[in-house]
Every structure is written in structure tokens, then in C-alpha cells.
Amino acid sequence: MKGDLTLLLKALAFAAHKHRDQRRKDAQASPYINHPIALADVLVNEGGVTDVEVLCAALLHDTVEDTATTHEELANAFGSRIARIVGEVTDDKSLPPAERKRLQVEHAPRLSQEAKLIKLADKICNLRDIVVRPPAKWDVQRRREYFDWAKRVVGGVRGVHPRLEAAFDEAYSRRPS
């Protein structure tokens, strides 16, 4: 138990350090670290997920994609399972945004169970954020497009966790009109 909490706090501190200079796209420029914390919160408090390595991967899910973190650095710090899960949900930033979005939809059904949980929590949190604190430069049409794309991604992970899927469906029901 103590080792689990130590690992979880290590992942939180690592993510906070890596994302320390990043902000969300909302008008308030919220600290980016709020996003991975929200994923872990959704997984634990709405999904009942207790696998500490999955929770660590949720906290770390954007470090390789959005910071100078490498896969090897994660593997050395947190082990191969956490690094593998993070790798599964990491987009290749060398690709154009439309291609990255297409690949997320295409790859979603082939993700591991653990990565599907993180993908689902990520989309739940993003939809909720778009409703409450939308990106400052996104008009209603772009927000609707994001909701519809997220629904296609989640379509590929359905069957992994009914309660989280219900939470996604509830978040999607708030799609901007």
C-alpha cells in the first residue's frame, strides 16, 4: 500500500514538473497539470479504478506527447508497464493534426484494457472542460467537431468500463448546439 502511494505521488510530482510551464487553452489559461489530475480523479472516483499503475499512466499520459520526456525516461522511472500504457495513448506529434485524429479513431479498438481506460477518461475530461472552460479560440462549430470526433474514438473502446462509458455519454449529451 505504502509503495503504491509512493509510486502515485512520484508520478504526480514528475507530471507536475514536466508540465510546469504549460497552460490549457481556456480563457483562464488553467495550469495544465489540472488535466492529468482530473483523469486520475475520474478513474478512481467515477470508475472505481484502483490499479495504481493505470493511475500513474493517467497522470503521465501527456508527458511524452507534450514535453521533452522520452519513453525510455518513463520506463526507467516508472517501469515498463506504465511506459507501455503511456506509449499506447501518445500521439506522434510529427504527424499533422488531422492524421493524428484519424489514427486515434483507427487505433482505439486495439488498445490494451489499461490504455482504453485512460483514453476514455481523457475524452470525458476534455468534453467536460470544453463545456465549462472552452478553448478561448474555439468557436461553437469547432467544439461540436471535437465532441463528434471524441465520440468516434470512444466508440472504439466501448465495452471496457460501463460506468465510465455512461459518464462519457452524459458528457457528450452536453454537446454545444
Side-chain angles (χ1 to χ4, degrees), residues 36-64:
I37 292 170
L39 262 71
D41 181 67
V42 163
L43 289 168
V44 170
N45 292 311
E46 295 180 55
V49 174
T50 58
D51 183 328
V52 171
E53 289 184 330
V54 170
L55 299 175
C56 289
L59 290 168
L60 299 165
H61 82 281
D62 278 335
T63 56
V64 173

Side-chain angles (χ1 to χ4, degrees), residues 7 14 25 29 34 38 62 71-73 96 100-101 111 119 147 151 173:
L7 184 64
F14 185 94
K25 295 177 183 176
N34 293 353
D62 278 335
H71 178 81
E72 294 74 25
E73 185 179 2
R100 293 194 309 260
K101 289 179 109 166
L111 295 174
K119 186 66 71 173
F147 268 63
K151 186 175 184 177
S173 75

Side-chain angles (χ1 to χ4, degrees), residues 9 12-13 29 37 40-41 50 68 71 73 88 90 107 109-110 114 134 137 140 148 152-153 156 167 174:
L9 290 172
L12 178 57
I37 292 170
D41 181 67
T50 58
H71 178 81
E73 185 179 2
E88 285 186 77
T90 299
H107 292 156
R110 296 192 299 273
E114 301 94 342
K137 296 180 181 177
V140 172
D148 294 341
R152 290 194 306 276
V153 173
R174 298 172 189 263

Side-chain angles (χ1 to χ4, degrees), residues 21-154:
D21 296 324
Q22 295 176 318
R23 300 285 181 192
R24 298 287 278 170
K25 295 177 183 176
D26 58 54
Q28 299 80 20
S30 304
Y32 194 87
I33 191 61
N34 293 353
H35 173 65
I37 292 170
L39 262 71
D41 181 67
V42 163
L43 289 168
V44 170
N45 292 311
E46 295 180 55
V49 174
T50 58
D51 183 328
V52 171
E53 289 184 330
V54 170
L55 299 175
C56 289
L59 290 168
L60 299 165
H61 82 281
D62 278 335
T63 56
V64 173
E65 185 174 319
D66 293 339
T67 75
T69 306
T70 65
H71 178 81
E72 294 74 25
E73 185 179 2
L74 280 186
N76 289 337
F78 298 100
S80 60
R81 181 174 181 238
I82 291 172
R84 175 190 53 79
I85 297 166
V86 171
E88 285 186 77
V89 297
T90 299
D91 286 349
D92 180 348
K93 288 298 246 313
S94 71
L95 299 173
E99 178 67 3
R100 293 194 309 260
K101 289 179 109 166
R102 184 189 71 75
L103 288 171
Q104 273 200 46
V105 173
E106 183 180 306
H107 292 156
R110 296 192 299 273
L111 295 174
S112 67
Q113 172 117 352
E114 301 94 342
K116 285 180 178 181
L117 291 171
I118 293 168
K119 186 66 71 173
L120 191 50
D122 187 39
K123 298 307 179 228
I124 291 166
C125 292
N126 285 344
L127 294 191
R128 289 174 178 171
D129 283 348
I130 288 169
V131 169
V132 177
R133 289 177 304 282
K137 296 180 181 177
W138 284 24
D139 62 16
V140 172
Q141 182 60 32
R142 182 151 182 211
R143 287 182 260 160
R144 282 189 209 122
E145 288 168 1
Y146 185 92
F147 268 63
D148 294 341
W149 168 74
K151 186 175 184 177
R152 290 194 306 276
V153 173
V154 168

